[in-house]
Amino acid sequence: MLVKAPVTSAHVIMMQRDLAGWLGYGVSHVAHTVVPRVRASGVATCERARDAAGWTHALDFELLPLKEARAEQGLNPLSLLNKRDLATMLRFTEAVLCPGWAPKDKPATPAGFMSARQGRDSATDRLAMLLLALEAREDGSVRMAPGRLPEGYTRSEVTVARLLGCSLDAAVEVLKRLLAMGAVDWDRPERFGQDRLLIPAIRAAYQRARAASSPQPDEASGEVPGSEKEETPSSEAGSCPRCVGDAAHEELVLEGDGWEQLSFEDVPAGATDSACGDQTAGSEASSQVDAGFEGDSVAGLCADPHAAHPPVVTLSASSAGSLDCFSGSAVLGDGPLRERACAGEDRPEITLADPASSGKADPLRGEQQTASPAAGRGSAGRTRVFVRPVAIPDDLKVALAPVAWLWAGLGRESTGKWLARAVRLELVRLRGLVGDERADRRLAERLKRRLDRQGTRPVQNLAGWLLKRGLPQQAECWSTLCDDGIRMDTGGICESCTCRIGDRRGLRTVVAARVTAQHLHLPPGEWRASYESELRATVAYQAAMDLVRRERTAEQQVAFRAAVEEQKAQLALAKAERAAQPCADCGVSGAAGLCMTCTLRRETVAVVEKAVDVAVALRADVDDQQALDALTEQVTQDTWAFVRKAAVPGGCDDPTSRAYAEREVAKRVLETRRGRALERLRESKPAEAEAAHVLRMAMRGMFPTEKNLKRAKKAAAKARARVAEELLGEFLCDLYRARAAAMPQERVPAWNERCAELAVRPLAEDEVATKELVGAP
């Protein structure tokens, strides 16, 4: 959909059958599966266009990432797409995925080589093929994923997984299907094995393009049509066999990035714009052979011995035969060096001084030698300095895009590495503020703003400019996300800066209104002076008030810290006093009110009482108080007898270890009795009735399948356990209520007695008045 999007908007209107053809699915699958998934992913919105009968015949997609990128107009690659890029991408995608069509009165569009892949997983295979084709080189080989490989997987499988963003197992299946249909093949398996991929369609397309662009020989005469016949020097004359090339190839391709570099035997023999063109008989360039040897008779022959050509040259009309140039060297007056220049070729030319002007010439000193006439012929007498450009690191290309043209002129690789460390430190700080995905773009926007602020003043020193002006954040308010009045997280205007600017504008408006009210008939010049004087006085007053407020806030903070320290000291003193208190049960000193042994004993007593209550609640009649007390006493004695028989682990019989062992035994007794009580109550009639009711309600309106029965029985078991818990709680409440009723309670005095006591008590107001009259403190 992206390649079919127009340049002016993000809306793509497609027929359902066209989209189905691109994806390899049916129209029904597109309508019921593809469109809902596109909407759920948040990548695009989709509106259906219906005909008069109500059937969907077209889909209107709005690509949200493309819309956002074009609205921001930032460094997003989608915002930089123009009509030419979209047309190229569309043609490429059509060659791979297009279903093909033949409209009336228009040229037909052939189907792509992946159009035969249809049905299940066809969209995944087609997307994988498109991504692999985009990663392919001119010879059809695919750029493989770098790095270490997971155990049990090949590099080709890892490459497909990274391109699709899927798991390795899914990528293995995709690669198997592509290999089975012949869309991809292995690249030189005798060398790399089944580890590198090759796309035969890409290689064949480049071969066809190269063959179409090369001149075709005439079948009758063997000459190139439209070209002049040139004499080919015989081998006896000493012609160079390296200068005779194959006319089928028109350009040299670099080796090392998956391309195959053609040798100099493959350079066209009649190409006068090649590095060897000056060595042919028809070349107009001067010979490298001294003119004293037979003059014109050897002017068209190669030099013997032949000079070795460099591995890579740029084919141009100005080459080895040009004046004052050597074979494969840079042409004088042409700027930068050729590729793979040898070491030392980028050194500046030696400026030669006149010995007469220096007074004393030393031939061993290069700076005092006499310049030759040929030294100034190519460079017009100027000193030429060749500086190799410094490349931007790959991880900083987005962040340093605004200063890329300045970075190339740093001159030293060490300077570039030093500055790259500073840029990475700033990126680390920005990632902590705005996240990893926004940090590079925000830094690039900051550098662009600072460059625009320079105006017509050029940046003379990039290193100093970056460290002092370009990289540092300039927050104009209190916010840590403010940079030049712009929020780094959202990219919008900083609200706090806007508020501050609004406050200043409001202050100037108020001062102007005040001066106008006080001086109604002042001339403009005097009014301006009065306004500035009043504004300065108002700003000075506000600054003084702010200073007083800050001093008051500082005093309050000091007082607050002092109060906090005093409270900490009081808490520490109270903690020390509490720690020094003796045990309330055994009287051991320094036990903080209760020692460890007594604490364990109290916990044991509480646990035993709960265990006794659980046993008594199910067995006793709460209406018979005498029987209840007897049963409680009996169960308590039996429980304590069992608890005190607890064995101390490790054979240590100190009081603390015994108290700990008794508490653990009491906990186990409580859990056992509670579990037995709940088990008995789950079998009671109320629990069974509730479980039957829940089971009946759960199965109402449902088929009695095994899954439904299992779910209903699980709900019934939960209901039975809930009823058992409620019954146990009710029994314990009845037990506690019976015990509370049996305890003697103090008689509550009647209201007439309480009023008589309150009437003779003096009021608080009367006591205060009496103290004021007497003068008591």
Side-chain angles (χ1 to χ4, degrees), residues 681 684 686-687 690-691 718-728:
L681 292 175
S684 61
E690 181 67 18
K718 289 184 178 179
R720 185 183 290 108
R722 183 177 64 253
V723 172
E725 292 281 352
E726 294 176 356
L727 290 176
L728 181 59

Side-chain angles (χ1 to χ4, degrees), residues 68 71-74 433-434 438-439 441-443 445-446 449 481-495:
E68 181 181 357
E72 291 181 356
Q73 293 295 329
L433 294 175
V434 299
R438 297 182 180 177
R441 191 183 351 175
R442 294 298 180 236
L443 184 58
E445 293 174 356
R446 178 191 300 176
R449 286 197 305 269
L481 295 174
C482 178
D483 186 18
D484 298 331
I486 297 176
R487 297 272 301 186
M488 291 189 295
D489 53 348
T490 61
I493 303 298
C494 181
E495 297 179 357

Side-chain angles (χ1 to χ4, degrees), residues 642-687:
F642 182 78
V643 169
R644 290 194 175 96
K645 291 180 181 179
V648 180
C652 183
D653 200 12
D654 60 288
T656 305
S657 300
R658 174 159 292 280
Y660 178 79
E662 291 178 356
R663 189 194 65 174
E664 295 301 316
V665 172
K667 286 183 177 180
R668 290 197 296 270
V669 170
L670 174 60
E671 293 175 0
T672 303
R673 290 183 178 178
R674 183 177 179 84
R676 291 177 181 176
L678 292 176
E679 185 177 359
R680 290 178 57 186
L681 292 175
R682 280 196 292 268
E683 298 175 357
S684 61
K685 292 184 179 181

Side-chain angles (χ1 to χ4, degrees), residues 504-520 522 527-528 530-536 538:
R504 292 180 178 178
R505 289 175 178 172
L507 176 63
R508 290 194 293 268
T509 303
V510 170
V511 172
R514 187 189 309 162
V515 173
T516 303
Q518 293 176 358
H519 310 284
L520 297 177
L522 280 179
W527 184 92
R528 183 68 180 179
S530 300
Y531 165 74
E532 292 180 354
S533 176
E534 183 68 20
L535 182 61
R536 284 194 297 270
T538 305

